[in-house]
Amino acid sequence: FAPLACTTRSIVSSSTTATSTHCRPHKRTPLAALCTDRGIMTRFVSVTLAAVCALSQTNAYAYINSPLHATCTSREHHQQRHRRGRVVRSSRLHMSSVSVGLGDNVMGNNDSNNQHSDPNELVSPPPTKTLSWKDKLDQEVSSRPFAVKTKLGAFNPFGLYYGMLSIFLGIIWYTATMTYALVHYLSRGKIDRNRRVPIFLGHVWGWINLRLTRSYPVIENREVLDKLYNDNRAAMFVANHNSWMDIPFLGASIGWRNYKMVAKQELTKVPILGACMTIAGHVLLSRKDRRSQLNTLKTGIDWLKRGVHLCTFPEGTRSKSGRLLKFKNGAFKMAYKAGAPIVPVSIVGSGIVMPPGWIFPIRPARGVGKVIIHEPIESTGKTEDELATQVRDAIISGLPEEQRPLVA
């Protein structure tokens, strides 16, 4: 390319001479000024030849040693490159450096002390787009063998086994609960006023189900409940919520005690589960009915005063992202009115065992599911907001980084 470079150089010099004789200095247009600038035209030809070298995969040193390259590169630029200790190894890198010089000339920046950005400098990658829970569901279904996605949700072979076992044990649970309901009705509520028997039957169903599916969680700091149980004090158990598995995990952490769940009324539509929850006396809440909310508050306070534990998820709904959501004050109002302590509970890994969009769990909870019980927080002498803040901080302290709320 050296003879071709010399030829193009002579052509450019003759063209610039011709244009300079026919163009008047006081009527120069930007296009005419661009065409008559010898430096710009020479650099343009240099960029073109460098591109040809790169596309044809020829040796770049033939172009680097040509006379045209010597006229296109300034002495200051050579000194700066030698000080950096860099040597041009490819025509593609040289083409990018010449393009930067061409841009500086067009913009009128001919300062010899101009410092270009270091190409070796680390550039932060663009922010990745956060996937929604539906996109994550599609990825999980496509990555797991024999996973099926239906209108009701997705399931895999383990989920099918878990579901069939739950239904089989659920039929026995339902039969025993209906028998209890008949006896309780005939006695006009005089037998088992606190409805301890149906809670025991439901706990047996959940315990066997978790054990046979290897999904019983690891429970930490369970000894902090011994003093509470020895004093026969009822407490409000408050936990984070991002999966259906939070309910059996929380029940397993409480143990063989009489407790009631504060749950949404829509669960009564679930076969077997809905009827058993109603007979057991769980506190059911309709989020759209103001009167139902007041009745829930009154019923919850009554259970606490009668020595029955309450369990609730103050977020009000499951977190699809897995991170802790804002709390609602209903649970703290119950504990404050009844003077009962609040036990913060951190549930870890339940969203991995059963992510959003799945009908049943997708894997055993062994090695993943964990429940951390924190020290009880007394409600006396504190406001509802102070209670909510202390409980929230305690729950966050037991959660991993991926489950903690994002700081605004």
Side-chain angles (χ1 to χ4, degrees):
F1 285 95
L4 179 60
C6 296
T7 306
T8 55
R9 182 182 178 186
S10 62
I11 294 174
V12 170
S13 60
S14 61
S15 63
T16 54
T17 305
T19 54
S20 61
T21 56
H22 292 286
C23 297
R24 297 181 182 180
H26 63 279
K27 290 186 178 181
R28 271 186 166 185
T29 62
L31 181 60
L34 185 64
C35 294
T36 55
D37 194 333
R38 181 176 179 179
I40 294 178
M41 294 296 295
T42 308
R43 290 176 186 272
F44 175 76
V45 175
S46 174
V47 172
T48 305
L49 292 179
V52 173
C53 291
L55 294 175
S56 59
Q57 298 182 356
T58 57
N59 191 357
Y61 289 102
Y63 166 67
I64 295 173
N65 296 326
S66 63
L68 182 60
H69 175 267
T71 60
C72 293
T73 309
S74 63
R75 181 179 301 175
E76 291 80 8
H77 187 64
H78 273 294
Q79 293 176 355
Q80 186 178 8
R81 293 179 59 151
H82 284 297
R83 281 196 301 267
R84 294 178 185 174
R86 294 191 316 219
V87 180
V88 178
R89 295 294 183 184
S90 65
S91 59
R92 189 181 297 254
L93 289 177
H94 178 71
M95 182 177 65
S96 63
S97 64
V98 173
S99 301
V100 173
L102 177 60
D104 291 339
N105 199 351
V106 173
M107 297 300 293
N109 186 10
N110 294 324
D111 188 6
S112 60
N113 296 325
N114 184 26
Q115 296 181 354
H116 301 291
S117 60
D118 190 359
N120 296 325
E121 183 180 358
L122 294 177
V123 180
S124 59
T128 57
K129 182 181 178 181
T130 305
L131 296 178
S132 63
W133 69 270
K134 293 183 179 180
D135 296 333
K136 293 180 180 179
L137 174 62
D138 294 336
Q139 290 184 356
E140 285 282 349
V141 172
S142 59
S143 61
R144 293 186 174 274
F146 307 108
V148 179
K149 184 179 180 182
T150 64
K151 294 182 179 180
L152 299 178
F155 64 91
N156 63 347
F158 176 80
L160 189 61
Y161 162 70
Y162 188 98
M164 293 178 64
L165 180 63
S166 300
I167 295 173
F168 173 75
L169 296 176
I171 294 175
I172 303 175
W173 174 30
Y174 179 80
T175 304
T177 303
M178 290 298 106
T179 304
Y180 165 82
L182 179 60
V183 175
H184 186 77
Y185 174 76
L186 295 177
S187 66
R188 298 182 180 181
K190 295 180 180 181
I191 299 178
D192 193 18
R193 294 183 181 273
N194 291 336
R195 304 197 179 191
R196 177 71 178 85
V197 175
I199 296 297
F200 173 80
L201 296 175
H203 197 86
V204 171
W205 170 80
W207 186 88
I208 297 176
N209 203 12
L210 292 177
R211 290 297 185 183
L212 294 182
T213 57
R214 302 176 63 195
S215 297
Y216 202 87
V218 176
I219 302 175
E220 296 184 0
N221 301 332
R222 195 170 189 173
E223 61 276 3
V224 302
L225 300 178
D226 294 339
K227 186 177 184 304
L228 193 68
Y229 293 159
N230 293 333
D231 296 340
N232 292 324
R233 296 186 63 190
M236 171 75 74
F237 289 82
V238 176
N240 58 301
H241 192 27
N242 61 355
S243 173
W244 285 107
M245 295 300 292
D246 295 330
I247 300 175
F249 283 6
L250 184 58
S253 62
I254 296 175
W256 302 90
R257 301 284 172 171
N258 191 8
Y259 60 88
K260 310 298 179 184
M261 289 280 183
V262 180
K264 57 184 180 179
Q265 199 171 13
E266 287 81 357
L267 291 178
T268 57
K269 300 178 181 179
V270 179
I272 300 177
L273 180 63
C276 293
M277 289 188 67
T278 303
I279 296 173
H282 292 285
V283 183
L284 302 177
L285 168 67
S286 177
R287 291 178 288 187
K288 298 180 180 180
D289 189 1
R290 179 65 178 174
R291 181 177 298 179
S292 175
Q293 297 175 6
L294 295 176
N295 291 334
T296 300
L297 180 63
K298 182 179 177 180
T299 305
I301 295 174
D302 183 60
W303 278 124
L304 289 173
K305 290 182 177 180
R306 292 166 62 176
V308 179
H309 304 290
L310 282 184
C311 305
T312 183
F313 303 104
E315 297 167 272
T317 184
R318 286 175 297 154
S319 174
K320 297 298 181 62
S321 64
R323 297 188 179 273
L324 190 67
L325 302 177
K326 293 182 180 180
F327 283 179
K328 298 181 179 180
N329 294 328
F332 309 104
K333 189 181 293 294
M334 291 181 191
Y336 177 78
K337 295 290 185 182
I342 298 179
V343 180
V345 180
S346 301
I347 301 178
V348 180
S350 60
I352 301 176
V353 179
M354 186 175 176
W358 293 83
I359 305 176
F360 302 111
I362 62 175
R363 54 155 297 167
R366 179 173 294 183
V368 177
K370 183 171 64 173
V371 179
I372 303 174
I373 303 175
H374 303 277
E375 291 288 341
I377 299 175
E378 295 293 337
S379 60
T380 56
K382 300 182 181 67
T383 63
E384 296 176 12
D385 294 337
E386 291 175 348
L387 275 175
T389 302
Q390 293 183 14
V391 171
R392 184 178 179 86
D393 293 341
I395 293 176
I396 292 176
S397 65
L399 296 177
E401 189 64 32
E402 61 271 12
Q403 288 188 238
R404 296 185 177 184
L406 294 175
V407 179

